[in-house]
Amino acid sequence: IYLRFTSFNSFHSSGITADVGLYTYKTFIFRRKNSQMKRIQALLMALLMLVSVAALSSCGNKKAIPNFDIPEGGYDGSEVTITFYHTMGSNLSDVLNLYIEEFNKLYPNIHIQHEQVGSYDDVRDQIGTELSTHSEPNIAYCYPDHVAMYNLTGAVATLDNLIDSKLSVTRADGSTEILGLTEEQKSDFIEAYYNEGRQFGDGLMYTMPFSKSTEVLYYNKTFFDANNLTLPKTWDELKDLCAKIKQIDPDSIPLGYDSEGNWFITMCEQYGSPYTSAKGDNYLFNNEKNREFVKEFRDWYQNGYITTQTLLGSYTSSLFTSTNGTRSYMSIGSSAGATHQRPAADTEGNYPFEVGIATIPQVNADKPKVISQGPSVCIFKKDNPQEVLASWLFIKYLTTNVSFQAEFSMASGYVPVLKSVAENPEYAKFIANADGGKYISALSAKVCLEQESAYYTSPAFNGSSKARSQVGTLLTKCLTIDKDADVDAEIKKAFEDAIAECEY
């Protein structure tokens, strides 16, 4: 058994950063031997005391305090270089480069260097390593749990003071703008996307939405029309629909669901049952309601109605787009992956069937809930506050620029974060062409924009990523419980094991 301490720079609690002087612990590994147990226990006690001091120092603060203060005079026009980590491929980088050129016409002294760093997790892991040497970028693509991890060292700049600033900034063309956001700009953001930046338990703003996606229901419209099938609005209706499809095609698996974790979390949100909390007890998902719906979905799996990415061993779109052998007629997956849910066209460009897209089923169709996904961006604190200000001006430019949001959406398959993009002529034309074939990405975006009031996000904290992984694992485990087993006892144990893994 090993106990490893790596790069402890500071503890961060309720907006208060408490430096704890552990800079020298870079990779000390202690083996569990009797002669060393006292040293380990003493060190753990010291760490607990230091955390307690940090927590006590923030007691009595009824409102968290932003960690970035704007220097007097705001942005001074000094020359700075800003680094931006993202996951964009060449097609999206080309769009970004065009708008960097436009941004530099306004702010020629702000030099943007951007870099594709693999996947979202690759971005997280690289920054996690770089934080120990203070070589992290200025701006990064992020998911909420990434920011929660970065905030263990208080590395992410809060945006509240920047957003609310009324300071005037003069641009190279002589025009001016306020440093912060106007009320019109704030109200233009799709509310759930914008509020995702405040879900870290202290009410402060840590991220800005960049481009988004959600989960949608893809269905074989040709098959549905031929068999007079009706789209399900609720999970109960979906169950009945799966039974009908099995009667029509007994060899099929009617529905594939790509993300077990998202499925579990979405059901918690739709039922209003506890999942996690950023404060107090973090892991709340072991409750009767959640065990109940998991048991219900086990019955679906046992009846051959559903499969998932883990159980299938690949994305369930492989079944959905198949035209022979075992196939499915519905697939729940990312709206940004619409082109992967479309079957291959023949040599003349014709598709074997038309794809339809709809919102996912609900517990209560009158109060829909669908998950908000896709990258936000965060800004890291720097010794030079002008770097933070320059980073903010660039992010503000991209996230409030209707033309950029429209063009990036059309190129990426993600949906824009601004309501007013729908009025952009080019984007309106894009959406007008929406169909289940050549323009399937437009159809996906159209569905996403029509359900903007339904989006939700989960609490973010250091461990929220672990919770997502564990509930996905437990759902998979429960679906495959043998019919001769004590199902209730096995489900109860799966939940208890998942909680234990999260807490461990």
Side-chain angles (χ1 to χ4, degrees):
I1 298 175
Y2 295 94
L3 183 63
R4 171 177 288 202
F5 296 91
T6 305
S7 303
F8 283 87
N9 293 324
S10 61
F11 285 90
H12 186 64
S13 175
S14 301
I16 304 297
T17 299
D19 293 322
V20 297
L22 293 175
Y23 299 106
T24 57
Y25 287 96
K26 281 284 178 147
T27 312
F28 278 71
I29 300 175
F30 299 93
R31 290 182 180 275
R32 186 179 179 182
K33 295 182 179 179
N34 291 336
S35 64
Q36 295 175 322
M37 285 305 294
K38 288 185 178 180
R39 276 193 290 167
I40 295 172
Q41 291 168 351
L43 182 53
L44 288 173
M45 183 60 69
L47 289 170
L48 289 172
M49 290 173 67
L50 288 163
V51 172
S52 298
V53 170
L56 286 171
S57 71
S58 64
C59 286
N61 290 348
K62 293 184 179 180
K63 185 176 181 180
I65 302 171
N67 65 25
F68 178 73
D69 294 321
I70 300 170
E72 186 176 352
Y75 175 62
D76 62 12
S78 58
E79 197 158 353
V80 293
T81 298
I82 302 304
T83 55
F84 176 22
Y85 286 0
H86 55 71
T87 64
M88 301 177 200
S90 59
N91 63 322
L92 299 182
S93 291
D94 289 344
V95 176
L96 179 63
N97 285 331
L98 288 174
Y99 283 87
I100 289 176
E101 289 180 15
E102 294 302 310
F103 175 76
N104 283 146
K105 291 177 183 177
L106 302 174
Y107 296 102
N109 288 340
I110 300 176
H111 307 289
I112 309 296
Q113 294 181 350
H114 64 94
E115 178 182 348
Q116 180 191 18
V117 186
S119 66
Y120 294 116
D121 286 350
D122 291 329
V123 172
R124 176 201 62 196
D125 294 344
Q126 182 161 326
I127 292 174
T129 299
E130 292 176 348
L131 283 172
S132 65
T133 56
H134 301 289
S135 58
E136 70 280 356
N138 298 91
I139 305 167
Y141 262 13
C142 61
Y143 271 77
D145 53 292
H146 301 176
V147 176
M149 185 189 82
Y150 304 151
N151 274 345
L152 290 175
T153 60
V156 179
T158 52
L159 306 178
D160 303 77
N161 289 340
L162 292 162
I163 290 170
D164 295 333
S165 175
K166 303 300 182 184
L167 287 173
S168 180
V169 182
T170 301
R171 299 177 289 203
D173 62 359
S175 63
T176 62
E177 65 173 319
I178 63 168
L179 180 63
L181 298 177
T182 65
E183 291 304 314
E184 183 181 11
Q185 286 172 327
K186 291 178 185 178
S187 63
D188 194 23
F189 283 101
I190 292 174
E191 187 175 4
Y193 295 162
Y194 186 77
N195 289 338
E196 181 182 295
R198 297 191 187 278
Q199 64 170 328
F200 298 92
D202 58 8
L204 297 176
M205 191 80 162
Y206 288 91
T207 67
M208 289 291 288
F210 191 86
S211 60
K212 292 297 174 181
S213 64
T214 188
E215 288 186 324
V216 292
L217 174 68
Y218 298 93
Y219 63 98
N220 185 325
K221 189 175 185 302
T222 302
F223 177 82
F224 270 59
D225 291 346
N227 293 280
N228 296 315
L229 299 177
T230 303
L231 277 173
K233 293 183 178 180
T234 67
W235 295 102
D236 287 339
E237 290 176 0
L238 177 61
K239 178 183 178 181
D240 294 339
L241 176 60
C242 288
K244 290 181 181 178
I245 292 174
K246 285 293 282 186
Q247 290 178 346
I248 298 168
D249 182 358
D251 294 328
S252 69
I253 302 175
L255 171 67
Y257 206 128
D258 272 337
S259 173
E260 297 93 346
N262 283 356
W263 194 7
F264 185 100
I265 297 165
T266 295
M267 296 308 299
C268 291
E269 188 71 20
Q270 290 186 5
Y271 272 116
S273 62
Y275 166 55
T276 58
S277 172
K279 296 180 178 180
D281 293 334
N282 295 131
Y283 309 107
L284 309 174
F285 54 81
N286 185 9
N287 58 70
E288 184 177 355
K289 174 55 68 177
N290 296 348
R291 292 192 296 271
E292 181 182 295
F293 73 67
V294 166
K295 184 178 180 181
E296 170 71 10
F297 290 143
R298 176 197 168 273
D299 291 340
W300 290 24
Y301 179 73
Q302 298 296 325
N303 289 329
Y305 294 167
I306 59 171
T307 189
T308 67
Q309 181 182 343
T310 299
L311 295 173
L312 184 63
S314 64
Y315 284 107
T316 60
S317 58
S318 62
L319 278 182
F320 181 69
T321 58
S322 175
T323 55
N324 50 60
T326 302
R327 58 190 301 186
S328 67
Y329 296 96
M330 294 177 287
S331 174
I332 295 178
S334 172
S335 60
T339 56
H340 298 291
Q341 301 282 356
R342 180 180 59 196
D346 61 23
T347 55
E348 296 180 356
N350 299 315
Y351 297 97
F353 63 84
E354 181 182 358
V355 179
I357 305 179
T359 191
I360 65 170
Q362 303 290 321
V363 169
N364 182 348
D366 294 328
K367 296 181 179 179
K369 296 289 184 181
V370 291
I371 197 166
S372 173
Q373 300 183 131
S376 293
V377 283
C378 64
I379 297 173
F380 291 92
K381 292 190 293 186
K382 295 293 179 180
D383 293 336
N384 179 4
Q386 293 300 319
E387 290 186 33
V388 177
L389 292 171
S391 298
W392 164 252
L393 287 169
F394 180 59
I395 290 308
K396 174 188 171 183
Y397 178 79
L398 295 180
T399 58
T400 62
N401 188 310
V402 172
S403 295
F404 172 77
Q405 285 288 316
E407 195 164 347
F408 194 86
S409 173
M410 290 186 286
S412 68
Y414 284 87
V415 293
V417 300
L418 302 175
K419 301 171 189 174
S420 59
V421 173
E423 301 166 10
N424 176 273
E426 287 300 315
Y427 199 74
K429 182 179 178 181
F430 171 71
I431 294 297
N433 287 328
D435 64 24
K438 183 178 180 180
Y439 297 104
I440 193 170
S441 291
L443 180 60
S444 177
K446 183 174 185 290
V447 171
C448 292
L449 292 170
E450 290 171 347
Q451 60 182 19
E452 67 177 57
S453 62
Y455 295 124
Y456 76 88
T457 55
S458 300
F461 55 92
N462 188 41
S464 54
S465 179
K466 183 71 170 178
R468 176 181 296 276
S469 174
Q470 285 301 316
V471 297
T473 298
L474 84 83
L475 179 57
T476 305
K477 188 183 299 183
C478 291
L479 293 179
T480 57
I481 293 173
D482 188 84
K483 63 180 181 180
D484 296 324
D486 185 336
V487 175
D488 290 330
E490 289 293 323
I491 289 176
K492 184 172 183 293
K493 184 178 184 303
F495 273 79
E496 291 171 349
D497 289 346
I499 291 287
E501 283 293 321
C502 288
E503 292 177 343
Y504 175 80

